[in-house]
Amino acid sequence: MKDNIPVKPGVSATVDAAITHIQRRYRMARIAFLLVAVVTVTGVVAFMTPASGHADGEAAPIFVTKIPPGYRDWRLISVAHEEGNLNSFAAVLGNDVAIKAYRDGKLPFPDGTIIAALHYHHVPSEENNKVFGRAQSFVPGPPTNVQFMVKDSTKYAATGGWGFAHFQDGKPGDPAFMKTCFPCHAQAKASDLVFTHYAP
Amino acid sequence: MKDNIPVKPGVSATVDAAITHIQRRYRMARIAFLLVAVVTVTGVVAFMTPASGHADGEAAPIFVTKIPPGYRDWRLISVAHEEGNLNSFAAVLGNDVAIKAYRDGKLPFPDGTIIAALHYHHVPSEENNKVFGRAQSFVPGPPTNVQFMVKDSTKYAATGGWGFAHFQDGKPGDPAFMKTCFPCHAQAKASDLVFTHYAP
């Protein structure tokens, strides 16, 4: 089909031929461009599609999407306080496997270890400050989120053997956010990706 | 018996009699003094001896002097952070009676409740700050002390039904220090003398 290029009537056949040539070239170039584009897009899509559970570097990470039951009854590992943007309190609890591993002082943590970090706002306690007579007391405010690390060296091989989890109001964190867990925790290689130490 | 007062031989009988009189007076004064002293000391001792479990204002408070076994395995009630002179982290744990009472939301706490406050220095975490890229992370440093509140309305009636305890390096706090617990906690009458609320 002819492209919509205005051609003056009466121009010589040579010009006609030249214009047709250009039109064909343009069409071919467009086809070529489209072909390259399709191949590229296909390649990108193939790259992004999560492969389930492959232990090679290309596999997409798997996250924990169900809250481990009974975590609120687990024993204490430690506490923490983050200032800055987080401004949060943490109570870090561990299931029996976790507590035993910490107390035995053995690394890496065995499969079955689950560590829970319960986060709350870090807020001043007006009632305590009245008793103390000065502003110095901070207590947990409303809960912000609960995060977990679940050890399964096979299932979570893509993220150092740990399945990361984040729940806010019972809902898991979105994938984009969850992807930030592992690169940060990977910097704690010496302690099997776990930042929290045991408080005696 | 004669006191060891040198008497010159050959002095008249009158002087002898005078001296003997003085000696007897001196002896009687000494006896009188000793008698008064004994009565006074007895009175002081009687006053200081702890009366066990009397519910009147005169009874001396009783403190907990043995660490409740297994407290490190109890469940989490909450966490706390004190600035100022204390500069400390607390992990507050409770035995089963305590946890149930908190979750039932019932006051006063029943007899058998034991609440443990594990205290640590509140220290910056250099290793975490390196990963965060800024100074914002605080973790428990060395333990400072462990404190307990043990509910027994009869035994500890003098201190609101609670036996207070403080241990540092396994040793109980001295009585003068322990006497400061109750007057401060008494200001939390509305929550049965307990400052810590349950963190969900």
Side-chain angles (χ1 to χ4, degrees):
Chain A
M1 79 296 296
K2 263 195 152 59
D3 291 317
N4 198 20
I5 300 172
V7 179
K8 263 190 175 162
V11 172
S12 74
T14 316
V15 173
D16 272 334
I19 288 167
T20 308
H21 177 74
I22 290 165
Q23 284 173 332
R24 279 197 194 122
R25 276 261 165 119
Y26 179 59
R27 208 158 38 233
M28 283 170 67
R30 267 207 323 193
I31 290 165
F33 170 75
L34 281 169
L35 202 61
V36 168
V38 165
V39 167
T40 307
V41 167
T42 306
V44 167
V45 166
F47 178 76
M48 281 178 65
T49 303
S52 41
H54 288 271
D56 56 84
E58 296 292 334
I62 297 171
F63 302 111
V64 177
T65 51
K66 279 171 64 173
I67 297 177
Y71 74 89
R72 186 56 183 80
D73 285 332
W74 293 349
R75 288 179 283 174
L76 179 84
I77 296 170
S78 188
V79 298
H81 164 215
E82 300 296 333
E83 289 186 338
N85 298 337
L86 294 172
N87 195 35
S88 92
F89 252 133
V92 185
L93 310 181
N95 66 352
D96 289 352
V97 180
I99 295 293
K100 185 176 191 316
Y102 267 111
R103 290 177 179 177
D104 289 349
K106 284 202 203 139
L107 289 172
F109 288 91
D111 282 2
T113 299
I114 308 182
I115 299 171
L118 287 62
H119 292 111
Y120 310 85
H121 283 293
H122 178 265
V123 301
S125 168
E126 294 305 327
E127 55 182 11
N128 290 354
N129 289 337
K130 281 203 192 83
V131 176
F132 274 122
R134 55 184 278 193
Q136 65 177 61
S137 175
F138 296 89
V139 295
T144 49
N145 65 65
V146 188
Q147 301 182 329
F148 296 90
M149 284 176 70
V150 180
K151 194 75 184 292
D152 184 328
S153 330
T154 308
K155 185 174 181 186
Y156 303 121
T159 44
W162 290 100
F164 293 90
H166 170 100
F167 297 94
Q168 188 169 338
D169 302 318
K171 288 176 299 188
D174 66 69
F177 174 74
M178 295 312 296
K179 286 199 178 114
T180 63
C181 303
F182 175 55
C184 188
H185 274 267
Q187 297 178 62
K189 239 186 170 60
S191 48
D192 195 21
L193 276 58
V194 176
F195 291 111
T196 303
H197 300 288
Y198 182 80
Chain B
M1 74 295 299
K2 261 195 160 51
D3 292 317
N4 196 22
I5 299 169
V7 177
K8 263 189 169 171
V11 174
S12 73
T14 317
V15 173
D16 272 335
I19 290 166
T20 307
H21 178 73
I22 291 165
Q23 285 174 333
R24 281 196 190 122
R25 278 263 166 118
Y26 177 59
R27 213 161 32 236
M28 284 171 66
R30 270 207 322 193
I31 291 165
F33 170 76
L34 281 170
L35 203 62
V36 168
V38 166
V39 167
T40 307
V41 167
T42 306
V44 168
V45 167
F47 178 76
M48 281 180 64
T49 302
S52 38
H54 288 269
D56 57 84
E58 295 292 333
I62 297 172
F63 303 111
V64 177
T65 51
K66 278 170 64 172
I67 296 177
Y71 74 90
R72 187 57 183 80
D73 285 332
W74 293 350
R75 289 178 282 175
L76 179 84
I77 296 169
S78 188
V79 298
H81 164 215
E82 300 294 335
E83 287 185 340
N85 298 337
L86 293 173
N87 195 35
S88 92
F89 252 133
V92 184
L93 309 182
N95 66 352
D96 289 352
V97 180
I99 295 293
K100 185 179 191 313
Y102 266 111
R103 291 177 177 177
D104 290 347
K106 283 204 205 135
L107 289 173
F109 287 91
D111 283 4
T113 299
I114 308 182
I115 299 170
L118 286 62
H119 293 110
Y120 310 85
H121 283 293
H122 179 264
V123 301
S125 167
E126 295 304 330
E127 53 183 11
N128 291 355
N129 289 337
K130 281 202 192 88
V131 176
F132 275 120
R134 55 185 279 194
Q136 65 177 59
S137 175
F138 295 89
V139 295
T144 49
N145 65 64
V146 188
Q147 302 182 329
F148 297 90
M149 284 176 71
V150 180
K151 194 75 183 290
D152 183 328
S153 329
T154 310
K155 185 174 180 185
Y156 303 120
T159 44
W162 290 100
F164 293 90
H166 169 100
F167 297 95
Q168 189 170 336
D169 301 320
K171 287 176 300 189
D174 64 71
F177 174 74
M178 295 312 295
K179 285 196 178 118
T180 63
C181 304
F182 176 54
C184 188
H185 274 266
Q187 298 177 63
K189 239 185 171 61
S191 48
D192 195 23
L193 275 57
V194 176
F195 291 111
T196 303
H197 300 287
Y198 183 79

